[in-house]
């Protein structure tokens, strides 16, 4: 009997996670697996097509594209993690504290965040890049700050729900200090949702950083991340389309994996989002016993 | 209703003032010396350096410079660009129509495809069609607009030769053709989010009690979907669309860069690269104004369209 009652294992999310892990490990182990040196030039192979010698072809200077994607991935992934970490270091404490204490501080923080959220984040990043200077450091700081207001809003709303729960009241009546309650009790209980937000932001950070590098405002040559490589590659679109397409595809693949993985985790965390069983397509109605068995099974699947 | 609109418009003004201060001082945080970037390769004598500094009011205090800038903008006088030696409004005037048309066209594409795909998905919930189209929507959400622009350009301009690979047309009609690929690339990401919202809202709406009553009455499915449910679905979609439209004004930068369209985005990037404060300040405040204005319009439209929200907001005054 093929029932819809079985909770479908999140196959897609698992595949996405595995693929993402593969990309991360490959980039981390770049010096071990890359067939060439990072900027090893070989002018004879200028614009070579993909072949056994150059897996994904070579660029104008004869640098192996596969090697450069691996090394570029390190720059992209590390700076994306940098962006999200920066926003988390500022945003999480701010959200927790303003949500927990409320009052004047909360009003100021919330107004300020509302104002910044009203600003398109790319525009904010462009202004900040102008202020902090072009280059990877400037871009990371700019994007990191641009991500703060949204994170503050998410963390604050989680804290507002959490702080009225019994365990917080208990902790307060025992006499724990507010800071201890915030970071030792409330934060761990919000951590799962914050982690998902963190991962989603990571995908968005990869896209945004690639965008800034593409515009020539992020990574500066000779260093290259995926965005900068894509930008370089577009000058050779007709003779060597793979130079632009390969870095582009890796960007899409990584972000797609992150988004899919997050969707999977969210569904797992929130049973209401799981597809409900549908009995519409059955030709004859279920027998009462069958329904009861199905319900039991569903209950077991949800851990009731 | 009129009072509500008035109140919202009044709130628009302080928001604009605060953003202008924020933008001005953020831009001035940069250490880059505009006079140095202005001179380029030629050397400047000390006298001309002083003269230039005075010409651009750089010898005054920051606060004074702010009031000179904002006062000029209020009288419709834009500052003069360091690099182009022209008032910024003259530089913008020839570029703004291209950008606005690009954003407008991409919005129309996005709305059209988002609603079509969203409705098809909702009508075939969890079937193969829904799965495939939903996957396509997620794919577009993960694709940066500049990559899509490059792919479209490669296939349709360079390989097939159907469209020009760079540059914009000279007038609105020509641009309908020149801006087709750019607007598709810009619209894809917008479509993705709106499409997903349409799908989930429609599914929610189809599960409502009144739909059950309509089915019991024997109303045909398409009538239920289009005449009854669509109204409830469109409101959140329009809201999200409006916000995305504001983001697209900035996002257009990427696509303009790929197709070398010469819109205001290109000008902004050039300004950032050459430390040209007047250009950066003026374009950023212009984009912010457009963005805030769109938010305002969406908010008012939202209130006007949805009787529930109208009642809530007007009585809560």
């Amino acid at each position: 009997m093929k029932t819809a009652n079985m909770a479908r294992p999140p196959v897609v999310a698992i595949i996405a996670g595995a693929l993402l892990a593969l990309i991360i490990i490959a980039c981390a182990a770049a010096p071990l697996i890359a067939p060439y040196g990072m900027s090893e030039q070989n002018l004879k192979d200028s614009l070579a097509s993909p072949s056994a010698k150059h897996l994904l072809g070579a660029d104008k200077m004869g640098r192996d594209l596969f090697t450069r994607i691996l090394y570029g991935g390190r720059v992209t992934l590390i700076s994306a993690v940098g962006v999200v970490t920066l926003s988390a270091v500022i945003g999480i404490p701010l959200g927790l504290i303003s949500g927990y204490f409320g009052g004047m501080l909360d009003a100021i923080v919330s107004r300020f965040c509302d104002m910044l959220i009203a600003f398109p984040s790319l525009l904010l990043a462009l202004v900040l890049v102008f202020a902090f200077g072009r280059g990877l450091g400037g871009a990371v700081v700019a994007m990191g700050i641009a991500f703060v207001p949204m994170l503050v809003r998410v963390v604050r709303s989680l804290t507002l729900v959490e702080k009225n729960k019994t365990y917080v009241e208990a902790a307060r009546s025992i006499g724990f200090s507010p800071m201890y309650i915030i970071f030792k009790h409330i934060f761990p209980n919000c951590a799962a949702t914050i982690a998902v937000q963190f991962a989603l932001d990571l995908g968005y950070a990869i896209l945004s950083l690639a965008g800034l590098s593409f515009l020539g405002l992020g990574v500066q040559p000779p260093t290259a991340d995926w965005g900068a490589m894509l930008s370089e590659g577009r000058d050779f679109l007709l003779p060597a389309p793979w130079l632009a397409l390969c870095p582009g595809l890796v960007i899409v693949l990584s972000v797609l994996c992150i988004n899919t993985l997050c969707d999977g985790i969210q569904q797992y965390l929130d049973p209401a989002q799981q597809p409900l069983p549908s009995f519409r397509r059955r030709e004859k109605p279920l027998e009462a016993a069958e329904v009861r068995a199905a319900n039991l099974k569903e209950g077991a699947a949800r851990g009731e | 209703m009129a009072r509500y609109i008035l109140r919202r418009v009044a709130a628009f003004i302080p928001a604009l003032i605060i953003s202008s201060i924020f933008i001005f001082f953020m831009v001035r945080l940069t250490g880059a010396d505009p006079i140095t970037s202005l001179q380029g390769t030629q050397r400047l004598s000390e006298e001309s350096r002083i003269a230039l500094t005075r010409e651009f009011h750089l010898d005054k205090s920051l606060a004074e410079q702010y009031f000179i800038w904002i006062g000029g903008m209020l009288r419709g006088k834009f500052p003069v660009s360091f690099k182009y030696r022209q008032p910024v409004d003259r530089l913008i005037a020839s570029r703004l129509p291209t950008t606005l048309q690009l954003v407008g066209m991409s919005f129309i594409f996005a709305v059209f495809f988002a609603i079509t795909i969203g409705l098809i998905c909702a009508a075939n919930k969890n079937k193969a069609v829904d799965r495939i189209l939903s996957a396509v929507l997620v794919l577009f959400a993960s694709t940066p607009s500049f990559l899509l622009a490059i792919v479209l350009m490669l296939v349709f301009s360079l390989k097939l030769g159907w469209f020009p690979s760079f540059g914009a047309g000279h007038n609105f009609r020509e641009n309908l053709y020149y801006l087709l690929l750019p607007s598709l690339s810009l619209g894809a990401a917008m479509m993705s989010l709106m499409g997903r919202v349409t799908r989930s809202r429609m599914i929610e709406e189809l599960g409502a009690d009144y739909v059950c009553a309509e089915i019991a009455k024997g109303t045909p499915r398409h009538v239920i979907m289009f005449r009854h449910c669509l109204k409830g679905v469109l409101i959140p979609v329009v809201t999200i669309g409006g916000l995305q439209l504001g983001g697209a004004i900035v996002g257009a930068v990427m696509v303009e860069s790929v197709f070398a369209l010469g819109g205001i985005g290109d000008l902004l990037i050039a300004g950032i690269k050459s430390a040209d404060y007047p250009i950066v300040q003026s374009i950023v405040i212009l984009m912010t104004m457009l963005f805030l204005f769109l938010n305002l319009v969406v908010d008012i439209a939202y209130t006007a369209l949805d009787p529930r929200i109208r009642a809530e907001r007007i009585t809560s005054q």
Side-chain angles (χ1 to χ4, degrees):
Chain A
M1 185 173 79
K2 185 176 165 248
T3 66
N5 292 328
M6 287 239 299
R8 204 178 304 114
V11 183
V12 186
I14 291 171
I15 295 174
L19 212 54
L20 187 65
L22 188 71
I23 294 175
I24 293 173
I25 292 170
C27 291
L32 298 177
I33 50 176
Y36 296 85
M38 182 168 62
S39 31
E40 196 181 315
Q41 296 183 9
N42 191 353
L43 287 174
K44 258 198 320 211
D45 292 338
S46 177
L47 300 182
S49 339
S51 63
K53 193 176 169 204
H54 293 290
L55 220 49
L56 297 176
D59 68 3
K60 194 175 172 232
M61 324 275 259
R63 292 176 295 191
D64 183 54
L65 187 62
F66 179 61
T67 308
R68 278 173 61 76
I69 285 184
L70 290 180
Y71 278 103
R74 301 175 115 194
V75 180
T76 302
L77 295 174
I78 291 176
S79 39
V81 170
V83 166
V84 184
T85 310
L86 180 65
S87 72
V89 167
I90 306 175
I92 293 176
L94 212 56
L96 284 168
I97 291 171
S98 93
Y100 185 80
F101 290 111
M104 193 62 188
L105 176 80
D106 182 40
I108 294 171
V109 170
S110 302
R111 283 297 136 272
F112 198 67
C113 287
D114 284 349
M115 203 184 86
L116 287 182
I117 286 174
F119 230 65
S121 68
L122 180 63
L123 191 61
L124 192 58
L126 288 177
V127 173
L128 292 168
V129 163
F130 188 77
F132 297 128
R134 275 191 274 163
L136 189 57
V140 169
V141 174
M143 289 310 310
I145 294 177
F147 278 22
V148 167
M150 204 60 208
L151 193 62
V152 170
R153 201 180 254 191
V154 171
V155 175
R156 180 179 168 271
S157 65
L158 286 171
T159 314
L160 285 181
V161 175
E162 217 56 34
K163 78 169 182 185
N164 291 322
K165 291 197 175 160
T166 325
Y167 73 89
V168 175
E169 218 181 307
R172 213 179 290 150
S173 61
I174 294 173
F176 285 138
S177 75
M179 284 299 158
Y180 188 85
I181 296 175
I182 289 174
F183 290 100
K184 276 282 178 189
H185 294 274
I186 295 181
F187 176 62
N189 280 299
C190 308
T193 317
I194 295 177
V196 173
Q197 182 67 33
F198 191 91
L200 279 175
D201 279 353
L202 200 64
Y204 193 57
I206 292 177
L207 284 183
S208 315
L209 281 170
L212 287 181
S213 288
F214 182 79
L215 292 173
L217 303 174
V219 173
Q220 302 294 317
T223 326
D225 69 346
W226 293 336
M229 291 172 67
L230 214 172
S231 175
E232 275 170 40
R234 71 184 155 146
D235 293 337
F236 308 99
L237 215 47
L238 213 47
W242 52 88
L243 286 180
L245 296 185
C246 291
L249 281 181
V250 194
I251 297 175
V252 174
L253 200 62
S254 324
V255 178
L256 195 60
C257 285
I258 293 177
N259 287 344
T260 315
L261 188 62
C262 288
D263 276 354
I265 296 174
Q266 266 171 340
Q267 267 182 20
Y268 180 77
L269 290 177
D270 176 16
Q273 277 196 24
Q274 280 174 12
L276 289 176
S278 142
F279 299 104
R280 282 237 180 101
R281 264 192 260 156
R282 275 179 195 286
E283 315 231 311
K284 67 173 194 216
L286 285 174
E287 298 295 322
E290 262 183 295
V291 172
R292 217 172 303 129
N295 283 341
L296 273 176
K297 216 166 163 191
E298 189 187 343
R302 293 205 182 154
E304 279 164 17
Chain B
M1 191 66 211
R3 258 186 69 194
Y4 175 75
I5 294 177
L6 220 65
R7 223 166 44 117
R8 281 304 319 248
V9 174
F12 180 69
I13 293 161
L16 210 54
I17 294 173
I18 295 173
S19 337
S20 75
I21 295 174
F22 175 76
I23 291 164
F24 182 84
F25 288 98
M26 276 318 285
V27 163
R28 288 312 172 90
L29 264 183
T30 176
D33 175 21
I35 304 293
T36 311
S37 65
L38 175 75
Q39 70 187 50
T41 49
Q42 81 204 58
R43 293 182 128 249
L44 276 178
S45 69
E46 204 47 42
E47 289 82 40
S48 47
R49 177 176 274 272
I50 293 171
L52 279 173
T53 309
R54 190 160 301 154
E55 187 189 330
F56 289 111
H57 306 295
L58 293 170
D59 52 344
K60 301 212 171 70
S61 74
L62 268 187
E64 274 177 285
Q65 288 186 41
Y66 171 76
F67 285 111
I68 291 172
W69 173 57
I70 209 73
M73 294 285 275
L74 285 178
R75 279 176 279 131
K77 242 186 87 202
F78 282 64
V80 175
S81 151
F82 296 146
K83 190 177 163 200
Y84 299 93
R85 292 302 195 89
Q86 273 185 37
V88 177
D89 52 340
R90 214 174 306 154
L91 293 170
I92 293 176
S94 59
R95 296 161 204 254
L96 193 59
T98 310
T99 301
L100 288 183
Q101 194 181 348
L102 171 65
V103 173
M105 278 170 70
S106 64
F107 187 65
I108 293 169
F109 283 130
V111 170
F112 176 75
F113 286 115
I115 292 177
T116 313
I117 293 179
L119 291 185
I120 292 174
C121 284
N124 301 290
K125 185 186 163 193
N126 286 341
K127 284 185 197 161
V129 191
D130 175 31
R131 293 255 167 78
I132 294 169
L133 287 177
S134 295
V136 170
L137 290 181
V138 176
L139 180 69
F140 278 132
S142 312
T143 309
S145 60
F146 50 89
L147 176 65
L148 194 59
I150 283 180
V151 172
L152 288 178
M153 184 180 185
L154 179 65
V155 175
F156 293 103
S157 306
L158 298 179
K159 294 275 184 208
L160 295 173
W162 292 352
F163 293 96
S165 58
F166 63 87
H170 297 292
N171 53 43
F172 181 80
R173 288 247 316 267
E174 252 177 57
N175 266 341
L176 287 178
Y177 171 65
Y178 278 84
L179 295 181
L180 189 69
L181 293 184
S183 54
L184 283 176
S185 358
L186 183 59
M190 277 198 271
M191 174 198 79
S192 167
L193 185 62
M194 276 194 272
R196 281 188 287 174
V197 173
T198 310
R199 175 184 179 273
S200 63
R201 281 289 304 153
M202 193 60 171
I203 288 173
E204 218 172 282
E205 204 74 13
L206 284 174
D209 288 342
Y210 76 88
V211 174
C212 210
E214 288 293 334
I215 294 173
K217 272 175 21 187
T219 317
R221 206 172 141 79
H222 62 270
V223 176
I224 299 180
M225 270 184 86
F226 287 104
R227 197 163 299 163
H228 297 276
C229 299
L230 199 57
K231 274 185 214 157
V233 171
L234 282 184
I235 292 169
V237 172
V238 165
T239 314
I240 288 176
L243 291 177
Q244 289 205 296
L245 189 59
I249 294 172
V250 190
V253 170
M254 310 270 178
V255 177
E256 283 176 14
S257 153
V258 174
F259 287 93
L261 295 179
I264 53 172
D266 282 340
L267 190 63
L268 175 63
I269 298 302
I272 291 179
K273 286 185 177 167
S274 57
D276 204 331
Y277 306 151
I279 288 190
V280 177
Q281 281 166 10
S282 311
I283 294 184
V284 172
I285 191 86
L286 194 74
M287 285 181 166
T288 311
M289 253 169 68
L290 273 174
F291 186 76
L292 289 174
F293 178 71
L294 278 173
N295 277 1
L296 181 72
V297 170
V298 167
D299 220 48
I300 291 174
Y302 196 68
T303 316
L305 285 178
D306 193 332
R308 289 166 299 186
I309 295 174
R310 190 164 60 217
E312 186 185 300
R313 289 203 176 153
I314 291 177
T315 50
S316 74
Q317 280 180 12

